[in-house]
Amino acid sequence: MSNNTTSSRPLNVLVMAAGLGTRMKSKRAKVLHELGGLPLIAHVVRAAQALDPRSIIVIVGHQAEEVERAALTEAGELVSFVMQAKQRGTGDAVESARSMLEHSDSLVLVLSGDVPMIRTETLRKLIEHHNDAHAACSILSVRLENPTGYGRIIRDESRAFQKIVEQRDATEEQRQVREINSGIYCFEARDLFRALRKVEPRNDQGEYYLTDVAEIIRASGGTVTVYLHNDAREVYGVNTRAELAEFENLVRRAAIRKLMIDGGVTFIDPSHAYISAEAEIGRDSIIHPNVTIEGKSVIGEGCVIRSGARITNSRLGDEVVVKDHSVIVDSQIESKCSVGPFAHLRMNAVMEEKATVGNFVEVKKSRLKRGVKAMHLTYLGDATIGERTNIGAGTVTCNYDGVNKHETIVEEDVKVGSDTMLVAPVRVGARSMTGAGSVVTKDVPPDSLVAGVPAEVKKKIR
Ligand code: UD1
Ligand code: MG
């Protein structure tokens, strides 16, 4: 058996993520289901990456390509993949990485792709414990009020580790044990792969269980230790949608609590706010009930986000007011702007300082410069609107001719009359006006009033 004491030996991380996750009753591989807006696998890879390992090897199978993409997004060049074409159990999963690790004098930290809430600090403690004990195998365990579904840690009379028994293979007496296997282990590479050869699929599922390795190592004289961790929530495994929803709730509540305690953000009703773990919110911002903030959104200080708003991958400056039921996706709103109620900003809509969009206004791929107002019932697509310009109720940029999208430019200090149709490509010169109901089909010179269908210059207004 290896007897390495230095913690400076290389560390390789193996993440088992090949299974479909039958109990999820889903077409998607379990590790692709999202928690706090991130796939489960990404959470695990993130925790592993922070350990600064030599490599992270992800065992893939079901929907391998998508699982690979999710892992790569998180950890880039550190990650490599091994295909486990047929999922014959967790022992077989690790077996697939044999040629990469068998002869390395390294530590192998085995993680499960479906145990997403594990913290790096806890993994570090497991490794420390493993090194201190000169162990060949160390198992991370916790005690659960309700251990149903997990493998149980069976100890002998002297409380030393004996074996792990899966729920379905356990006797009635063994099922009373509340100490469970987290599915997270630290191994000496050589000991692991030596023992793995002896694993047989003699269990209720006819699978190769990684858990049997611990017993095999112990039987051949190796040291197996159990590191009993005190925070059970960290090692919850996601096996069903009900569990996923429960964990979502935990992650969400933790993120909101952190924003309140550390970030100085007010939540009117923290139990009805949906904030991604990646979002940032500045101090003294107020989040009303039923607000959803997704992805890597950044909200500045002193903002007010009213009920029913959804903000996805967007940036808001300071003192922005988002009124009820507005949807803001992939957009940018500078300080002191006001949005909504019932507004829709998308595809890189940009509002510069102090711009306002009101009820039933949609802004797509457009820039509203400083102080622009579009208060009612308007569509602005592929448009640039100059400083201080006022867009009257019912204005529409007719940007699509059925084949191509065209641009509309409205310069500064323009007054666009109610119900104006701006037939793109078109430009309205600075300080001009359009009469109510104008259909603007050609460029409007500066300082002019146009009106009619199609709109003609009526007079110079300056
Ligand atoms: C496993 C443990 C159990 C532990 C629990 C903790 C075994 C036999 N049992 O059970 O003791 O309490 O985790 O959550 O290991 N996977 C593969 N290839 C396979 C099979 C599984 O990559 O052939 C992956 C899955 O995608 C998943 C992980 O391994 O990410 C765990 O598999 P799962 O089937 O969920 O094991 P559990 O029944 O939860
Ligand atoms: Mg599981």
Side-chain angles (χ1 to χ4, degrees), residues 259 267 273-281 287 290-299 305 309-314 316:
L259 284 167
F267 284 86
Y274 307 88
I275 315 292
S276 105
E278 313 234 53
E280 292 169 36
I281 306 180
I287 311 295
N290 286 320
V291 165
T292 304
I293 299 178
E294 299 180 318
K296 288 193 165 81
S297 293
V298 180
I299 315 281
I305 317 293
R310 169 161 72 90
I311 300 172
T312 305
N313 293 322
S314 294
L316 275 59

Side-chain angles (χ1 to χ4, degrees), residues 184-198:
I184 293 172
Y185 324 79
C186 189
F187 292 101
E188 295 302 312
R190 291 200 180 95
D191 297 329
L192 166 62
F193 287 99
R194 194 179 305 129
L196 208 47
R197 283 200 199 283
K198 299 189 188 147

Side-chain angles (χ1 to χ4, degrees), residues 23 30 112 114-115 237-239:
R23 287 164 283 179
K30 175 163 67 181
S112 289
D114 66 343
V115 181
V238 178
N239 291 307

Side-chain angles (χ1 to χ4, degrees), residues 65-294:
E65 231 171 83
E66 279 127 281
V67 174
E68 289 179 16
R69 208 173 309 129
L72 282 169
T73 310
E74 227 20 76
E77 63 226 39
L78 210 55
V79 212
S80 56
F81 303 95
V82 173
M83 186 72 183
Q84 185 199 18
K86 230 178 134 217
Q87 288 77 45
R88 294 183 299 178
T90 46
D92 182 58
V94 172
E95 178 66 35
S96 350
R98 175 181 290 276
S99 63
M100 297 174 83
L101 296 174
E102 185 174 24
H103 301 295
S104 67
D105 177 23
S106 70
L107 284 182
V108 179
L109 180 70
V110 176
L111 306 178
S112 289
D114 66 343
V115 181
M117 290 188 283
I118 188 68
R119 290 185 312 131
T120 307
E121 203 36 51
T122 307
L123 296 175
R124 219 171 256 138
K125 283 189 190 146
L126 171 68
I127 294 169
E128 230 169 72
H129 176 91
H130 177 88
N131 286 328
D132 288 350
H134 304 259
C137 162
S138 302
I139 302 158
L140 184 69
S141 78
V142 295
R143 283 215 180 83
L144 292 182
E145 277 305 307
N146 174 12
T148 311
Y150 290 92
R152 308 295 205 282
I153 304 280
I154 308 299
R155 296 175 182 261
D156 62 18
E157 313 77 53
S158 62
R159 304 284 307 139
F161 173 82
Q162 209 176 2
K163 61 180 172 180
I164 299 168
V165 180
E166 291 305 297
Q167 164 96 16
R168 52 203 304 166
D169 303 307
T171 63
E172 206 37 59
E173 195 193 338
Q174 288 169 331
R175 285 187 190 176
Q176 303 307 313
V177 173
R178 292 207 301 216
E179 188 183 4
I180 63 102
N181 166 30
S182 67
I184 293 172
Y185 324 79
C186 189
F187 292 101
E188 295 302 312
R190 291 200 180 95
D191 297 329
L192 166 62
F193 287 99
R194 194 179 305 129
L196 208 47
R197 283 200 199 283
K198 299 189 188 147
V199 172
E200 287 177 43
R202 261 182 304 180
N203 49 61
D204 186 53
Q205 297 196 90
E207 288 190 350
Y208 294 86
Y209 283 174
L210 178 60
T211 44
D212 289 349
V213 160
E215 191 185 351
I216 293 167
I217 291 177
R218 191 194 61 100
S220 56
T223 306
V224 176
T225 62
V226 180
Y227 174 62
L228 177 61
H229 183 51
N230 56 16
D231 187 353
R233 284 172 307 184
E234 264 185 61
V235 302
Y236 284 163
V238 178
N239 291 307
T240 65
R241 305 231 191 195
E243 285 163 351
L244 187 61
E246 246 174 68
F247 304 161
E248 181 76 41
N249 210 13
L250 285 174
V251 167
R252 185 168 67 78
R253 281 214 299 248
I256 289 172
R257 200 181 150 71
K258 191 163 187 295
L259 284 167
M260 292 194 290
I261 304 286
D262 302 340
V265 178
T266 295
F267 284 86
I268 302 295
D269 181 359
S271 57
H272 292 96
Y274 307 88
I275 315 292
S276 105
E278 313 234 53
E280 292 169 36
I281 306 180
R283 66 163 66 188
D284 292 322
S285 284
I286 301 174
I287 311 295
H288 284 257
N290 286 320
V291 165
T292 304
I293 299 178
E294 299 180 318

